[in-house]
Amino acid sequence: MAVIGITDEGETEDMGVARLNLDDQEYEFPVIVGSEGEVAIQSHALRSLTGAITLDPGYGNTGSCRSAITFIDGEQGILRYRGYPIEQLAEEASFVEVCYLLIYGELPNEEELEDFRARLRRHTLIHEDMKKFFEAYPPTAHPMAILSSMISSLATFYSEEEDVDLHVVRLIAKLPTIASFSYKKSIGQPFVYPQNDLGYAENFLNMMFSVPCEDYEPPPVLARALNMLLILHADHEQNCSTSTVRMVGSSGASLFAAISAGIDALSGPLHGGANQQVIEMLEAIRDSGDDFSEFVGRAKDRNDPFRLMGFGHRVYKNFDPRASILKGAADEVLAELGVDDPLLEIARSLEDVALRDQFFVDRKLYPNVDFYSGIIYRAMGLPTNMFTVMFALGRLPGWLAHWKEMSVDPDNRINRPRQIYTGAGARDYLPLADR
Ligand code: ACO
């Protein structure tokens, strides 16, 4: 395989070839190198040349696109949005700035940021008719299911003919309103309308926690923690939900349909749903009298489907930089709020036990972003079933950035993987009486 290098502009370029021998015949495929030296063998001509396809269940080794949004080095624990290290953004940026960065490619200057904020403020309300939808859901409805159907419903209010940037702004502005309305509905309280003189995080906290009969001022410590959590979740390249957004979008379906599908993909316990499951697992450990060995033993048992939630990652094989930031943040936020949550101690001890266990060491299983985020959400007063909704709020700009990138990518085709068929050979239909 000949790999030559990267262009000065940091873009990918076709360089060198990879040679494949199949049935005693040699085939050549172009080699592509990314701006951080990532190497890919371009295989889309494989089937037409050889008749064979690649088989990669779970796409663990398949590049689905070229993307300039987020870089991850799973071995080194590096995560950068548009080149900016996650540690710097989490510490210093605002979530709205990060939305702009991911979606438009550069950090905004003062004027651009103010203009972006003003556009967001204009779209925070949802159509009054949408409020009626909330009435139809049972009180037990999971807020992720409500969120997904509400986003899908936005397509019935806004025309596909409109400027896509307007839809982008609408989604960022309306998601917090819809999310907080679904929470208010679940606890039987009146909806609190957006208050546009507040910042993004403060406005969300106000819609979640204020009630008409009392004064409420969003505590700065909560707004800061929320801002950081949203930034840490804002993008993660071709993860399950983002790939879903791209896949649905590749068919030409509306942006609302694609984002709604992304929310559904995120809801799964192996993806965004893990943050809720982590807390449920830590509670179960607490209720068992802190019996870590039972849970670690079950996680190691090949015949038991139980996994340590918040542990392991498809890409990170050393540490998840988001988890490292959140571990420190959990200590600070809880201390500042004066919350003494025994689950934090259980989480720390579980991490300790697992990291010393050969099973986890061998498989390079470390805490991921979901391991400590739930503890902070809990301290903020959020109910467990809202945790994944918080993840969706954070991930939205990433989904939007990828959808936009996909929609102008000249390489974009409808996503349509192949398969290796393992079913029955051709056989004749038998009428019911003869079977
Ligand atoms: N607990 C116990 N064992 C685990 C765990 C875990 N949390 N995660 C992986 N393993 C084991 C697997 O059983 C497998 O063992 P084996 O080789 O003996 O069969 C090995 O480690 C590799 O695991 P895979 O499932 O092949 O890894 P994959 O990359 O497919 O899955 C995933 C990654 C889904 C995150 C997995 O680690 C997991 O299920 N973790 C728990 C759920 C979770 O925290 N999800 C959130 C991920 S982060 C996010 O989406 C934001």
Side-chain angles (χ1 to χ4, degrees):
M1 185 169 74
V3 179
I4 299 163
I6 321 166
T7 65
D8 289 344
E9 293 75 35
E11 291 169 353
T12 60
E13 197 172 279
D14 300 354
M15 289 164 178
V17 290
R19 294 189 180 83
L20 171 78
N21 279 301
L22 191 69
D23 281 343
D24 290 335
Q25 209 175 323
E26 187 172 275
Y27 302 91
E28 288 190 348
F29 298 94
V31 171
I32 293 176
V33 186
S35 55
E36 292 288 341
E38 294 175 301
V39 179
I41 299 166
Q42 197 168 40
S43 61
H44 66 256
L46 180 70
R47 188 168 175 278
S48 59
L49 290 175
T50 68
I53 62 166
T54 54
L55 182 62
D56 181 20
Y59 310 125
N61 202 41
T62 297
S64 60
C65 60
R66 302 185 206 212
S67 178
I69 300 170
T70 286
F71 173 69
I72 301 177
D73 181 329
E75 273 68 37
Q76 306 287 327
I78 293 172
L79 169 61
R80 296 185 205 127
Y81 299 160
R82 303 279 188 189
Y84 295 101
I86 190 65
E87 292 80 4
Q88 291 178 17
L89 294 171
E91 179 76 27
E92 294 175 55
S94 74
F95 178 62
V96 172
E97 259 184 300
V98 170
C99 289
Y100 188 100
L101 170 70
L102 286 167
I103 295 166
Y104 302 111
E106 294 295 338
L107 283 169
N109 62 29
E110 245 174 78
E111 200 182 320
E112 288 163 336
L113 185 58
E114 191 33 55
D115 175 62
F116 187 50
R117 284 192 198 283
R119 282 192 291 141
L120 291 179
R121 282 196 293 269
R122 264 203 301 281
H123 293 281
T124 48
L125 285 172
I126 56 170
H127 195 290
E128 281 292 294
D129 287 346
M130 280 190 85
K131 276 172 42 191
K132 297 191 196 114
F133 299 173
F134 288 98
E135 288 163 22
Y137 293 109
T140 50
H142 197 288
M144 278 298 269
I146 299 182
L147 189 66
S148 155
S149 30
M150 286 289 171
I151 298 305
S152 193
S153 305
L154 286 175
T156 65
F157 287 86
Y158 303 109
S159 154
E160 268 190 65
E161 310 306 317
E162 285 175 294
D163 178 24
V164 103
D165 269 332
L166 184 56
H167 290 332
V168 164
V169 165
R170 280 184 176 132
L171 277 161
I172 299 174
K174 291 182 198 310
L175 215 67
T177 312
I178 294 171
S180 59
F181 280 18
S182 70
Y183 171 61
K184 287 295 195 188
K185 152 82 190 170
S186 75
I187 55 169
Q189 285 186 1
F191 299 145
V192 176
Y193 279 66
Q195 204 176 305
N196 283 347
D197 57 344
L198 294 175
Y200 180 96
E202 290 82 355
N203 177 46
F204 178 70
L205 291 169
N206 191 57
M207 289 191 289
M208 287 288 292
F209 297 122
S210 72
V211 280
C213 42
E214 268 173 31
D215 285 341
Y216 175 81
E217 210 169 302
V221 52
L222 292 196
R224 272 200 314 278
L226 181 57
N227 182 65
M228 182 205 58
L229 280 156
L230 295 173
I231 291 173
L232 291 180
H233 287 87
D235 192 41
H236 215 234
E237 48 117 307
Q238 311 309 320
N239 57 86
C240 176
S241 56
T242 303
S243 299
T244 301
V245 168
R246 278 182 176 262
M247 179 167 269
V248 173
S250 77
S251 76
S254 78
L255 177 60
F256 299 114
I259 299 298
S260 168
I263 292 169
D264 288 331
L266 186 73
S267 69
L270 297 188
H271 192 14
N275 56 15
Q276 173 173 342
Q277 306 258 331
V278 169
I279 293 298
E280 287 164 4
M281 176 186 74
L282 295 175
E283 284 170 343
I285 294 176
R286 179 198 58 200
D287 298 343
S288 74
D290 291 356
D291 185 0
F292 298 102
S293 57
E294 181 201 330
F295 290 85
V296 172
R298 283 188 62 197
K300 288 159 55 175
D301 182 352
R302 305 295 61 209
N303 300 314
D304 189 331
F306 175 79
R307 289 185 163 202
L308 279 194
M309 299 314 285
F311 258 78
H313 199 275
R314 172 62 61 79
V315 177
Y316 294 119
K317 298 299 173 198
N318 207 335
F319 68 96
D320 179 340
R322 304 165 300 171
S324 309
I325 298 171
L326 282 176
K327 188 178 180 183
D331 284 337
E332 284 168 30
V333 173
L334 267 63
E336 215 173 314
L337 288 172
V339 172
D340 181 18
D341 187 347
L343 293 197
L344 179 59
E345 200 39 56
I346 294 175
R348 283 203 209 99
S349 310
L350 180 62
E351 180 183 354
D352 246 30
V353 171
L355 293 185
R356 278 188 276 109
D357 191 304
Q358 207 52 42
F359 175 94
F360 293 89
V361 174
D362 289 345
R363 288 167 182 76
K364 300 185 185 297
L365 300 171
Y366 296 87
N368 58 49
V369 67
D370 286 328
F371 195 66
Y372 284 104
S373 63
I375 290 174
I376 305 182
Y377 288 138
R378 232 166 95 92
M380 292 170 75
L382 287 157
T384 321
N385 67 359
M386 281 295 288
F387 292 1
T388 317
V389 171
M390 305 308 297
F391 195 152
L393 286 185
R395 184 54 53 88
L396 179 65
W399 291 332
L400 294 171
H402 283 273
W403 189 93
K404 272 188 76 136
E405 185 176 63
M406 175 218 62
S407 65
V408 295
D409 183 349
D411 287 342
N412 180 49
R413 310 161 73 199
I414 185 165
N415 286 195
R416 203 301 184 189
R418 296 230 172 217
Q419 64 165 14
I420 293 294
Y421 176 66
T422 59
R427 43 185 170 165
D428 289 325
Y429 173 80
L430 291 176
L432 203 53
D434 297 341
R435 280 176 231 159

